[in-house]
Amino acid sequence: MELHDVWFVLIAALWTGYFFLEGFDFGVGILTKLLARNRAEKRVLINTIGPVWDGNEVWLLTAGGATFAAFPEWYATLFSGFYLPLLLILVCLIVRGVAFEYRAKRPEENWQRNWETAIFWTSLLPAFLWGVAFGNIVHGVKIDQNFDYVGTVWNLLNPYALLGGLVTLTLFTFHGAVFTALKTVGDIRKRARKLASGVGLVTAVLALIFLLWTQADGGDGKSLVALAVAVAALVAALVANQAGREGWSFALSGITIVATVAMLFLTLFPNVMPSSLNAEWNLTVTNASSSPYTLKIMTWCAAIATPIVMLYQGWTYWVFRKRIGTQHIAETVH
């Protein structure tokens, strides 16, 4: 296997890790409006991800940096062609981080409510837009012979990509609901399981249509296996949630995300960004990659740094593994 193939796999793994971890982050943020009934319950939801949300975003930074270094042509075409949606995602992530940190800085109800509203919208919009972005990457966009995107932002809002956005939105909401059930106690835990059942059914329908469309559009035997794993894991997650097995349900919803992302990258390879105008203008792992020497240096750096980062993040989750409920929230809720 060539180094550019290795880095394609590594970047796919980084995006998979990001969507697995930030997926329930986004889901919990969305649930602050859909699930929480009072200020204390909103505080419970925010506290479930409070110690880990910023660490989860490290996967996005690493994926973006790895793409820039390993596949500069891919990075240039992607970030110039998808400038507006990616800028909107970036603004949402910035505002979301500020909202988490500033919400409790003042006791006024309006102040806290406004930041809670910001958390909801800045969780919902990226959850949808990431699906739109990856839907376009896999489906193909208007790239010319110079590897420049020549379409408009409206070309990105095609039916396949919009369906992809709905899939990631509902899947992340389901993932967040089962995570909430896993991390909480009391009435909010029961309501999270009930909401997960409803959202999960909608997710199953949308995901099945999207994955079958993806398979028909350019899949092969490997992507078909990933499709089967994704569907089976989602159904099993719904069954486990119904049985009150939150740990299994969360793990299986995570497997659904992993298999879905794997299917998208398997469908994409050896391209990194297909052209809908001419297949000869596709960006591939070969013509979009850096030099072999650059990839070699990057591989050594990744081999040293990645295990350290993963061990530290795993330790963080272990430290903050206990369930919480409204009884753990002080009477004066900030």
Side-chain angles (χ1 to χ4, degrees):
M1 181 181 287
E2 299 289 339
L3 279 179
H4 51 65
D5 296 331
V6 172
W7 273 97
F8 179 86
V9 174
L10 290 175
I11 289 172
L14 289 170
W15 280 111
T16 301
Y18 173 67
F19 288 137
F20 181 99
L21 297 171
E22 191 83 315
F24 69 75
D25 254 354
F26 288 143
V28 171
I30 293 168
L31 293 179
T32 57
K33 286 286 187 183
L34 302 182
L35 184 64
R37 291 178 175 175
N38 52 50
R39 312 304 302 285
E41 289 189 350
K42 288 184 179 181
R43 177 69 180 273
V44 168
L45 289 173
I46 293 172
N47 283 4
T48 62
I49 58 174
V52 298
W53 68 266
D54 49 353
N56 293 344
E57 292 188 354
V58 170
W59 290 77
L60 172 62
L61 299 175
T62 308
T67 304
F68 171 77
F71 299 101
E73 287 285 357
W74 184 13
Y75 182 93
T77 303
L78 175 64
F79 279 78
S80 60
F82 292 21
Y83 180 80
L84 286 177
L86 291 178
L87 177 62
L88 181 56
I89 290 174
L90 178 61
V91 170
C92 285
L93 295 179
I94 292 172
V95 174
R96 188 168 178 265
V98 173
F100 282 131
E101 297 296 332
Y102 275 72
R103 176 188 171 277
K105 296 298 183 182
R106 288 171 57 178
E108 291 88 346
E109 185 174 342
N110 285 339
W111 170 273
Q112 295 184 10
R113 184 184 296 113
N114 288 339
W115 285 120
E116 289 162 1
T117 300
I119 290 172
F120 170 76
W121 285 110
T122 56
S123 298
L124 185 148
L125 288 174
F128 175 74
L129 290 174
W130 279 126
V132 174
F134 271 85
N136 278 290
I137 292 173
V138 173
H139 197 58
V141 291
K142 294 184 177 181
I143 300 174
D144 64 12
Q145 65 271 26
N146 299 316
F147 302 140
D148 293 326
Y149 178 69
V150 293
T152 67
V153 68
W154 303 112
N155 295 130
L156 302 178
L157 302 178
N158 56 79
Y160 177 81
L162 292 174
L163 178 59
L166 291 176
V167 169
T168 52
L169 175 59
T170 54
L171 181 55
F172 291 168
T173 304
F174 173 70
H175 196 42
V178 295
F179 176 79
T180 299
L182 178 65
K183 286 287 293 179
T184 58
V185 295
D187 184 56
I188 192 171
R189 174 186 177 187
K190 297 177 182 177
R191 285 188 280 116
R193 285 209 309 263
K194 183 178 180 180
L195 187 144
S197 296
V199 174
L201 289 174
V202 175
T203 304
V205 173
L206 294 175
L208 182 60
I209 297 172
F210 178 73
L211 293 176
L212 288 175
W213 191 344
T214 304
Q215 181 66 25
D217 200 35
D220 56 15
K222 293 179 181 178
S223 61
L224 183 61
V225 172
L227 185 157
V229 171
V231 173
L234 182 54
V235 172
L238 284 167
V239 173
N241 176 72
Q242 196 68 26
R245 303 296 297 272
E246 291 107 343
W248 280 105
S249 183
F250 177 72
L252 288 163
S253 69
I255 291 173
T256 303
I257 293 175
V258 171
T260 300
V261 178
M263 182 183 180
L264 294 179
F265 276 93
L266 286 170
T267 304
L268 193 59
F269 186 81
N271 299 314
V272 294
M273 207 166 177
S275 171
S276 60
L277 300 178
N278 191 327
E280 295 182 358
W281 300 340
N282 290 353
L283 280 167
T284 69
V285 292
T286 303
N287 63 25
S289 70
S290 295
S291 68
Y293 180 75
T294 300
L295 296 178
K296 185 177 180 179
I297 296 298
M298 289 175 61
T299 303
W300 279 108
C301 293
I304 296 170
T306 303
I308 297 174
V309 173
M310 294 184 70
L311 284 171
Y312 173 77
Q313 192 165 24
W315 175 79
T316 303
Y317 276 93
W318 175 256
V319 170
F320 295 100
R321 66 188 183 280
K322 293 184 179 180
R323 295 178 182 267
I324 61 174
T326 53
Q327 66 270 29
H328 300 117
I329 304 298
E331 291 186 8
T332 303
V333 179
H334 294 302

